[in-house]
């Protein structure tokens, strides 16, 4: 009796402690094993020089200090940027650059740089230089490292402008210098809102349909417009290697610029008024021109009006000329697309797009280059005889790539690949690129007929990356190499013209990724890097790819991770599932396996993996396909398919004796958070949920969301059935919601979580809402990430971990339960 009385008292004390600490302020830190994951170094990103001699290894900045997020930030026309540096926020920031010689293994560390963040790293086409931007507290300048002299030098003192066009500089293809975009107004007094005269803010529609997704950070008043002009204005300049800059044209609101392959001309896109309060800058009116290197307009390509009436649909486009680009096989020839269907793919048309071109000196009329059956996607150029034209269609999820002759693109066109873009098994891979004699990126073409592809090699047995050679003349492919068990190895770059020598990134379930040189002629493998194990505390965890079926016969897979030293005799474990729904038009495609069973276990702080350290099994990425075959659309049966997928995942783990059915939690981010709320509302499979940066009320995203093209008024039933906000009364399990307080992502504005929490609280449901200051859709500050790990850890402890048994209670020191005890770990606050 004493034990049961004590047990009841302990439970009551735990609940009181929870209540006392649930409203604690301040950032928390999780258990040490979880905290160490945040500091683990990732495999560097890599960039190979054109000549294949140097591999640039870029050390990534995974997290930033919270102080960096508190710096002034502007959000205008759908862009967030630093007003002090005139640079957009980016996740591709680096802390160091190291150059490794491919043949000798010698290493050069790029040193002598000022303190700051490195970004936009680019090789010169002649492989003699590597350039990058150093972003500091109040400026962002261009720097250059000379491979021959092993010296670094600052190329600009004036700050570059990466606000609208995030590419603030480009190498001239001939490697003689750069085209840069200077921030004209950097250092000038910024505009003051208090100096603006108040006035009514008026918007008026013209009766023409103008569907737009729920974009955030849009312009909203005349002061916003004035600020946008101030920060968007840039001055193009030609910068030589000796640091001399010569202005090109006059300052303008630069949207885009690109350099002709012969380094003589520019395509320039300039934003024009009127601006819009409904759409992002990418749809603003834009004037497109071809300039000479002095800035003199040689040819006007288009005057695009404000594009706020583009028809609804993912493959709908603006009317008139669009997607201007240089032909990579010519010195100065411009190509662009024009819709033949009013921009609406739902309209019947023999050809939905035409491609046109015009060449220097831009005196003749444009010529029809090619007719495109579906919507134009891209062209990859090899030479004047061979190019690859890709088109697509959303309704059927079709992507088609054809081999064309640029001399006559509509004759002798050969289909290289035609498939659903979701079809991983028939994905031919990506073509290997190189630099041509002009110094621009083109397809690697050998002997006038052979191209090379590297791909994931998805199969029923999992991903088996490959290197293929494609013969243009026979339209046939030969496999040169393929990864084999027990390794997961993929090609990163070719080092010869035959596909016999190449750089790979190789790993296994026990060996962390490293770069190797594979030589097929000598059947040799030479290790190029020796990165250490990033998570020594997690050595010993096991991974298994689980295959199972949904009730409708759809084959599903997921990756099961078990804690280190797990013994099946211990019995079932608590399980955390982490998933993300995807949409398909074909059941067979939805059933495909898309991971390798031999990949190294990545224990990142972003997903569920850290909680293996708490003795929790992880079922990562159990597939949740939403399928709509034929005339049926995927979301017509979203809820039933989602629950069926989740039930199949739970059943397979329970049947195998791995999972305790009373201790399974579900988690997800963004659309995965939307999934979590739906599963808690429409099933009883899980005891708790973790939902991060989600959307829950689809009536707040009335013009489509995720893969849904129909608007709210066309499919009110679908919107209502899919919105967990409309079904909060059915949620019987506790849900932890985490959201960045400044989330700019379309559809997941912070109000979504705030209103969902208010609904759950109002109906007496158990929920916790955590709003992270200064964070967006993903979380960047170390303090924020540690706190997220702590929140999730405490939530899982509370709902997944069992209370101590009677024998353990007998061994508890009662003094530890005293409310005034202050000798414990300050980071171990009970949840």
């Amino acid at each position: 009796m004493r034990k049961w009385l004590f047990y009841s008292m302990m439970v009551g004390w735990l609940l009181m402690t929870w209540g006392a600490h649930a409203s604690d302020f301040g950032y928390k830190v999780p258990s040490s094993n979880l905290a160490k994951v945040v500091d683990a170094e990732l495999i560097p990103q890599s960039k190979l020089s054109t000549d294949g001699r140097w591999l640039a290894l870029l050390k990534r900045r995974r997290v930033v200090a919270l102080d960096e997020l508190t710096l002034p930030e502007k959000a205008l026309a759908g862009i967030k940027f630093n007003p002090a540096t005139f640079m957009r926020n980016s996740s591709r920031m680096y802390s160091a650059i190291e150059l490794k010689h491919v043949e000798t293994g010698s290493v050069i560390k790029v040193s002598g740089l000022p303190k700051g963040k490195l970004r936009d790293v680019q090789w010169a086409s002649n492989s003699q230089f590597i350039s990058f931007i150093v972003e500091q507290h109040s400026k962002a300048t261009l720097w250059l490292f000379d491979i021959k002299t092993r010296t670094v030098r600052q190329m600009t003192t004036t700050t570059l402008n990466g606000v609208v066009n995030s590419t603030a500089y480009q190498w001239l293809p001939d490697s003689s210098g750069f085209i840069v975009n200077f921030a004209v107004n950097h250092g000038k007094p910024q505009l003051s809102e208090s100096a603006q005269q108040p006035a009514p803010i008026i918007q008026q529609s013209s009766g023409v349909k103008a569907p737009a997704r729920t974009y955030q950070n849009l312009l909203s008043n005349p002061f916003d417009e004035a600020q946008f002009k101030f920060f968007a204005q840039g001055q193009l300049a030609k910068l030589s290697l000796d640091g001399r800059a010569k202005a090109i044209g006059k300052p303008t609101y630069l949207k885009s610029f690109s350099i002709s392959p012969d380094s003589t001309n520019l395509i320039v896109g300039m934003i024009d008024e009127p601006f819009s309060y409904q759409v992002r800058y990418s749809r603003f009116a834009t004037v497109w021109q071809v300039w000479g290197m002095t800035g003199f307009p040689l040819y006007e390509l288009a005057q695009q009006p404000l594009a706020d009436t583009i028809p609804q649909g993912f493959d709908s486009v603006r009317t008139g000329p669009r997607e201007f680009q240089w032909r990579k096989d010519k010195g100065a020839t411009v190509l662009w697309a024009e819709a033949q269907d009013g921009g609406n793919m739902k309209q019947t048309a023999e050809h939905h797009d035409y491609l046109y071109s015009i060449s220097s000196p831009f005196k003749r009329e444009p010529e029809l280059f090619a007719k495109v059956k579906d919507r134009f996607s891209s062209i990859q150029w090899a030479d004047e005889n061979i190019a690859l034209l890709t088109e697509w269609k959303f309704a059927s999820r079709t992507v088609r790539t054809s081999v064309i002759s640029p001399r006559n693109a509509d004759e002798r066109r050969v289909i290289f690949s035609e498939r659903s873009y979701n079809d991983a098994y028939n994905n031919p891979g990506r073509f290997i690129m190189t630099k041509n004699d002009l110094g621009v990126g083109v397809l690697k073409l050998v002997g006038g007929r052979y191209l090379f592809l590297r791909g994931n090699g998805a199969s029923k047995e999992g991903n088996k990356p490959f290197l293929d050679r494609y013969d243009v003349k026979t339209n046939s492919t030969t496999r040169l190499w393929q990864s084999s068990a027990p390794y997961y190895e993929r090609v990163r770059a070719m080092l010869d013209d035959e596909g016999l020598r190449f750089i790979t990134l190789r790993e296994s379930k026990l060996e962390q990724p490293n770069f190797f040189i594979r030589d097929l002629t000598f059947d040799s493998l030479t290790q190029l890097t020796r990165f250490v194990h990033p998570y020594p505390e997690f050595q010993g965890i096991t991974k298994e790819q689980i295959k199972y079926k949904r009730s409708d016969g759809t084959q599903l897979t997921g990756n099961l991770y078990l804690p280190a030293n797990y013994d099946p005799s211990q019995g079932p474990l608590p399980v955390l599932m982490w998933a993300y729904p995807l949409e398909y038009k074909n059941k067979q495609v939805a059933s495909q396996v898309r991971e390798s069973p031999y990949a190294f276990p990545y224990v990142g702080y972003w997903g569920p993996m850290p909680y293996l350290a708490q003795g929790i099994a992880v079922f990562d990425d159990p597939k949740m396909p939403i399928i709509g075959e034929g005339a049926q659309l995927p979301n017509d049966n979203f809820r039933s398919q989602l629950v069926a997928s989740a039930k199949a995942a739970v059943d397979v783990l329970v049947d195998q004796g791995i999972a305790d059915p009373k201790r399974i939690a579900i988690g997800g981010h963004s659309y995965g958070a939307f999934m979590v709320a739906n599963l808690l509302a429409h099933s009883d499979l899980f005891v708790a949920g973790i939902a991060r940066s989600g959307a829950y009320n689809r009536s707040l995203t009335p013009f489509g969301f995720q893969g849904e093209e129909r608007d709210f008024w066309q499919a009110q039933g679908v919107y209502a059935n899919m919105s967990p906000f409309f079904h909060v009364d059915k949620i019987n399990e506790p849900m932890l919601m985490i959201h960045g307080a400044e989330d700019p992502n379309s559809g997941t504005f912070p109000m979504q979580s705030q209103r969902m929490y208010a609904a759950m609280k109002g109906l007496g449901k158990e929920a916790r809402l955590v709003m992270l200051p200064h964070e967006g859709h993903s979380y960047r500050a170390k303090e924020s990430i540690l706190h997220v790990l702590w929140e999730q850890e405490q939530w899982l402890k509370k709902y997944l971990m069992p209370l101590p048994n009677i024998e353990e209670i007998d061994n508890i020191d009662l003094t530890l339960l005293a409310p005034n005890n202050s000798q414990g770990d300050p980071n171990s606050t009970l949840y």
Side-chain angles (χ1 to χ4, degrees):
M1 179 64 69
R2 173 183 174 276
K3 292 178 179 178
W4 287 110
L5 177 61
F6 177 77
Y7 193 100
S8 300
M9 291 173 60
M10 188 182 73
V11 172
W13 181 84
L14 288 172
L15 292 174
M16 285 189 294
T17 304
W18 155 250
H21 290 281
S23 59
D24 279 356
F25 292 101
Y27 290 90
K28 307 293 183 183
V29 178
S31 300
S32 61
N33 282 350
L34 275 67
K36 288 179 182 178
V37 171
V38 180
D39 293 321
E41 287 198 11
L42 293 176
I43 299 300
Q45 288 189 348
S46 63
K47 287 180 177 285
L48 186 69
S49 61
T50 303
D51 61 11
R53 297 179 61 203
W54 292 97
L55 186 68
L57 301 175
L58 315 178
K59 185 177 180 181
R60 295 185 254 182
R61 296 179 82 248
R62 301 187 68 197
V63 296
V64 301
L66 185 62
D67 290 347
E68 288 193 35
L69 298 191
T70 62
L71 295 174
E73 186 177 56
K74 292 288 185 182
L76 297 168
I79 306 168
K80 296 187 77 172
F81 61 94
N82 184 334
T85 64
F86 282 65
M87 284 285 150
R88 283 202 208 184
N89 295 325
S90 172
S91 59
R92 293 190 175 185
M93 298 287 195
Y94 311 106
S95 59
I97 300 175
E98 184 176 283
L99 304 176
K100 194 171 187 70
H101 197 276
V102 172
E103 298 298 333
T104 67
S106 61
V107 173
I108 301 174
K109 294 186 177 180
V110 178
S111 58
L113 299 175
K115 186 178 181 180
K117 299 174 287 187
L118 309 181
R119 57 189 295 165
D120 300 334
V121 180
Q122 300 180 27
W123 278 104
S125 62
N126 65 7
S127 302
Q128 294 182 25
F129 309 98
I130 190 167
S131 58
F132 45 89
I133 291 174
V134 178
E135 184 176 358
Q136 298 172 276
H137 178 69
S138 60
K139 60 182 178 179
T141 52
L142 181 62
W143 292 68
L144 183 73
F145 183 78
D146 188 323
I147 305 297
K148 287 185 177 180
T149 64
R150 308 292 198 265
T151 57
V152 66
R153 63 181 185 267
Q154 185 173 354
M155 297 301 297
T156 67
T157 55
T158 303
T159 291
L160 302 182
N161 192 328
V163 173
V164 177
N165 180 14
S166 59
T167 303
Y169 82 97
Q170 294 177 28
W171 273 99
L172 287 164
D174 62 10
S175 300
S176 63
F178 309 88
I179 302 298
V180 299
N181 182 26
F182 285 124
V184 172
N185 294 318
H186 181 261
K188 296 181 181 179
Q190 296 187 19
L191 304 178
S192 171
E193 188 170 10
S194 60
Q196 306 296 311
Q197 292 294 325
I201 299 172
I202 300 171
Q203 300 182 64
Q204 180 171 331
S205 64
S206 61
V208 178
K209 286 187 176 182
R213 291 212 166 191
T214 49
Y215 299 115
Q216 298 184 66
N217 301 322
L218 302 178
L219 302 181
S220 60
N221 53 55
F223 178 64
D224 282 353
E225 294 188 48
Q227 285 194 102
F228 179 72
K229 291 180 180 180
F230 180 87
F231 288 105
Q233 192 172 42
Q235 173 66 63
L236 283 179
K238 185 176 181 180
L239 180 69
S240 63
L241 291 178
D242 60 10
R244 291 179 296 174
K246 183 178 181 181
I248 301 175
K250 296 180 180 180
T252 183
Y253 308 128
L254 192 68
K255 180 179 182 179
S256 173
F257 72 93
S258 61
I259 310 168
S260 63
D262 63 5
S263 300
T264 61
N265 296 284
L266 299 169
I267 296 174
V268 179
M270 298 163 286
I271 292 177
D272 199 5
E273 296 181 89
F275 300 146
S276 170
Y277 296 174
Q278 298 298 317
V279 294
R280 301 173 71 245
Y281 78 95
S282 58
R283 292 194 179 189
F284 287 1
T286 307
V287 177
W288 292 90
Q289 295 178 341
V290 177
W291 286 4
M293 280 299 173
T294 63
F296 183 78
L298 302 174
Y299 185 80
E300 183 162 283
L301 294 165
Q303 291 190 18
Q304 294 176 331
L306 175 66
D308 60 352
T309 59
I310 292 177
Q312 194 168 340
F314 292 106
D315 44 18
S316 292
V317 295
R318 63 167 82 218
T319 56
R322 71 179 201 281
E323 298 187 39
F324 305 97
Q325 57 191 268
W326 294 106
R327 275 186 59 168
K328 302 295 180 65
D329 62 324
K330 293 287 187 180
T333 297
V334 184
L335 185 93
W336 67 89
E338 290 190 35
Q340 305 299 302
D341 53 14
N344 187 355
M345 278 286 286
K346 294 180 176 62
Q347 297 296 322
T348 301
E350 183 179 1
H351 297 94
H352 288 275
D353 272 335
Y354 280 0
L355 302 181
Y356 293 92
S357 69
I358 188 170
S359 298
S360 176
F362 310 105
K363 300 296 185 181
R364 298 181 179 181
E365 291 296 312
E367 297 178 352
L368 178 64
F369 176 80
K371 298 177 181 180
V372 183
K373 180 181 178 181
D374 292 326
R375 184 65 73 216
F376 171 67
S377 175
S378 66
I379 285 188
Q380 293 176 287
W381 307 92
D383 60 16
E384 61 181 8
N385 297 312
I386 296 173
L388 297 171
L389 169 65
T390 300
E391 54 195 297
W392 74 296
K393 185 175 183 180
F394 179 77
S396 59
R397 309 304 198 264
T398 302
V399 60
R400 181 188 307 108
T401 298
S402 303
V403 180
I404 63 171
S405 171
R407 296 174 183 272
N408 193 333
D410 286 331
E411 287 189 4
R412 300 192 305 274
R413 190 178 296 187
V414 176
I415 295 178
F416 163 71
S417 171
E418 185 170 13
R419 63 185 178 91
S420 164
Y421 58 69
N422 295 131
D423 185 354
Y425 289 0
N426 289 301
N427 187 337
R430 292 177 295 164
F431 284 93
I432 301 240
M433 309 295 288
T434 189
K435 295 287 180 69
N436 63 13
D437 292 340
L438 293 169
V440 296
V442 294
L443 295 164
K444 185 178 182 66
L445 178 65
V446 176
R449 63 187 293 183
Y450 297 113
L451 301 173
F452 297 85
L453 302 108
R454 57 190 174 106
N456 291 329
S459 70
K460 293 180 180 179
E461 295 77 34
N463 284 358
K464 295 188 288 186
F466 62 82
L467 177 65
D468 282 354
R469 182 180 63 222
Y470 172 65
D471 188 337
V472 175
K473 291 189 176 181
T474 62
N475 194 28
S476 61
T477 301
T478 302
R479 180 127 313 165
L480 302 177
W481 172 87
Q482 187 159 25
S483 178
S484 59
Y487 289 96
Y488 175 51
E489 185 176 4
R490 55 261 193 217
V491 176
R492 296 306 299 267
M494 273 178 55
L495 298 176
D496 65 1
D497 288 341
E498 291 76 34
L500 299 177
R501 195 164 180 267
F502 43 91
I503 295 176
T504 69
L505 191 61
R506 187 175 192 247
E507 63 192 81
S508 72
K509 289 193 286 187
L510 300 177
E511 299 175 32
Q512 64 273 19
N514 267 292
F515 290 98
F516 289 78
I517 298 176
R518 182 171 284 281
D519 192 319
L520 300 183
T521 300
F522 299 99
D523 193 23
S524 64
L525 189 66
T526 304
Q527 189 162 350
L528 191 58
T529 60
R530 298 186 183 276
F531 302 126
V532 299
H533 196 296
Y535 323 105
E537 297 83 3
F538 287 84
Q539 286 182 332
I541 63 175
T542 61
K543 173 186 175 181
E544 181 183 0
Q545 195 174 77
I546 303 291
K547 297 181 180 181
Y548 54 101
K549 284 188 178 182
R550 200 165 72 178
S551 57
D552 62 357
T554 303
Q555 182 76 43
L556 305 175
T557 58
N559 294 313
L560 174 66
Y561 297 89
L562 297 175
N565 304 316
Y566 168 69
D567 185 345
S569 66
Q570 296 173 353
L573 291 170
V575 174
L576 172 60
M577 289 189 187
W578 202 270
Y580 191 95
L582 292 173
E583 299 165 357
Y584 299 89
K585 288 294 294 178
N586 181 285
K587 182 183 292 187
Q588 284 68 42
V589 170
S591 295
Q592 293 178 350
V593 181
R594 291 174 172 81
E595 304 92 8
S596 169
Y598 305 111
F600 181 72
Y602 173 66
V603 187
Y605 56 72
W606 192 245
M609 297 291 285
Y611 302 101
L612 289 162
Q614 309 298 315
I616 297 172
V618 168
F619 200 33
D620 189 34
D621 196 24
K623 296 299 182 284
M624 303 278 176
I626 310 299
I627 307 165
E629 296 189 299
Q632 191 176 65
L633 296 179
N635 286 337
D636 291 344
N637 294 288
F638 175 87
R639 276 168 41 183
S640 60
Q641 293 192 61
L642 184 69
V643 172
S645 295
K647 184 177 185 305
V650 168
D651 287 347
V652 70
L653 296 185
V654 172
D655 292 344
Q656 292 189 13
I658 294 165
D660 177 350
K662 296 181 180 179
R663 292 192 291 158
I664 304 177
I666 182 69
H669 186 88
S670 192
Y671 207 56
F674 175 73
M675 168 205 71
V676 168
N678 266 298
L679 287 173
L680 297 186
H682 304 298
S683 78
D684 292 311
L685 297 167
F686 305 100
V687 297
I690 298 173
R692 296 192 328 219
S693 299
Y696 309 101
N697 183 351
R698 286 304 170 195
S699 68
L700 299 177
T701 56
F703 288 105
F705 57 90
Q706 203 71 1
E708 179 57 63
E709 286 192 305
R710 295 168 293 185
D711 63 38
F712 173 80
W713 297 273
Q714 293 171 322
Q716 290 189 33
V718 171
Y719 276 64
N721 287 331
M722 291 181 67
S723 296
F725 181 84
F726 291 7
H727 306 279
V728 171
D729 58 315
K730 302 183 182 74
I731 296 179
N732 300 317
E733 299 82 17
M735 184 164 71
L736 169 65
M737 286 178 283
I738 301 173
H739 212 124
E742 298 181 16
D743 186 350
N745 192 52
S746 173
T748 60
F749 34 87
M751 181 177 64
Q752 288 274 5
S753 288
Q754 293 165 337
R755 300 313 302 161
M756 185 69 176
Y757 172 76
M760 293 187 72
K761 181 178 175 65
L763 292 178
K765 308 297 180 178
E766 191 169 355
R768 181 172 171 88
L769 175 63
V770 180
M771 302 299 295
L772 300 171
H774 311 294
E775 294 289 0
H777 191 61
S778 301
Y779 320 137
R780 297 189 294 148
K782 183 174 182 178
E783 293 88 339
S784 301
I785 293 164
L786 288 171
H787 187 81
V788 168
L789 289 172
W790 180 84
E791 290 280 358
Q792 294 175 162
E793 179 185 20
Q794 302 306 316
W795 196 255
L796 295 173
K797 281 183 177 179
K798 180 176 173 63
Y799 294 106
L800 290 192
M801 308 307 286
L803 291 169
N805 58 37
I806 299 299
E807 289 72 20
E808 291 171 330
I809 291 173
D810 281 336
N811 296 323
I812 290 178
D813 184 350
L814 297 181
T815 62
L816 295 177
L817 298 180
N820 62 353
N821 173 55
S822 60
Q823 298 177 357
D825 182 351
N827 295 324
S828 62
T829 304
L830 290 174
Y831 211 65

